[in-house]
Amino acid sequence: MPDFTSSTLAIADDVADRRDASDSHSRFGSYLALNAHRLHDDGQPLSAQDFAFTVWRIATAPVMSPGYVRHRPDLHGIDLVPYSEDLDVAVRITVPLRHHQLAAPVDHRLADWQRDVWATADGFTALAEPRHTGRAALLTTATLLLPVPDHVLIAPTATEPGRKMTSQAKDAVTALVIWANAHAHLVNDLIEAGR
């Protein structure tokens, strides 16, 4: 699997996708085939926005686990969400923040996110809920919404699973991964603010 870096929030892992494919072509393609009913609109290609939502959902956990798209362990998620009433697309990045990263001091009796040393990759460690000890906990997250411009979205021409659909779906999620990674500095600034 490719390495996470400070400029990498998400990875579309093509190497693992081919290596782990039951059809020797694409594991993601197999998951697309299992969700064929979601990949068209009454036999017509989906809009670029609907295609983005659909293939992102399929490419990530819990549908694919591990996903074709994986996010850095120190993040709680990277999702696609509607950004307006017109169903514009936004990347939603959920970043857990520890107490020392907050502007105001927090009562020291409140439990905080705990580092999960078993969920570390390339120097990025996941934060998990504290052990249940009967102590109150303040678990803070920041949500970063990145509107996705229409030119980043890819409109499919295929309506049936197969190599063409798989290629278009991979292109669509890769474009979204590149868009998210281009904004890694915003996430890193949040995380580094309290250090």
Side-chain angles (χ1 to χ4, degrees):
M1 180 171 143
D3 294 336
F4 289 108
T5 67
S6 61
S7 61
T8 309
L9 302 176
I11 294 171
D13 194 351
D14 237 8
V15 173
D17 185 60
R18 277 191 219 107
R19 181 192 66 222
D20 299 338
S22 59
D23 65 358
S24 300
H25 177 63
S26 173
R27 183 170 164 261
F28 181 34
S30 296
Y31 276 82
L32 291 169
L34 290 171
N35 290 276
H37 62 285
R38 296 183 174 154
L39 297 170
H40 62 86
D41 185 9
D42 289 329
Q44 296 301 310
L46 296 175
S47 68
Q49 294 171 338
D50 287 338
F51 189 59
F53 287 124
T54 302
V55 297
W56 186 269
R57 192 173 306 115
I58 294 168
T60 56
V63 175
M64 277 188 80
S65 187
Y68 173 65
V69 175
R70 300 174 198 173
H71 64 78
R72 230 169 54 184
D74 60 333
L75 306 175
H76 275 190
I78 300 178
D79 303 298
L80 291 190
V81 295
Y83 191 64
S84 69
E85 293 174 10
D86 298 327
L87 286 180
D88 291 329
V89 179
V91 173
R92 179 180 63 198
I93 304 170
T94 308
V95 184
L97 299 176
R98 300 200 63 206
H99 294 172
H100 69 274
Q101 294 167 294
L102 304 177
V106 175
D107 187 317
H108 70 279
R109 295 171 292 187
L110 292 171
D112 196 359
W113 294 110
Q114 299 296 306
R115 293 183 180 278
D116 181 355
V117 295
W118 298 106
T120 299
D122 306 313
F124 299 98
T125 302
L127 295 177
E129 289 186 12
R131 287 180 293 133
H132 299 285
T133 61
R135 185 174 154 198
L138 176 64
L139 305 176
T140 307
T141 58
T143 301
L144 178 63
L145 286 174
L146 303 171
V148 179
D150 287 341
H151 74 271
V152 171
L153 302 176
I154 294 174
T157 57
T159 59
E160 296 292 324
R163 290 190 182 218
K164 185 175 183 181
M165 172 66 75
T166 300
S167 176
Q168 292 174 353
K170 284 184 173 187
D171 289 348
V173 295
T174 298
L176 292 162
V177 164
I178 291 168
W179 180 253
N181 288 342
H183 297 84
H185 65 283
L186 298 173
V187 173
N188 296 334
D189 288 349
L190 272 172
I191 292 170
E192 293 295 324
R195 292 188 182 167

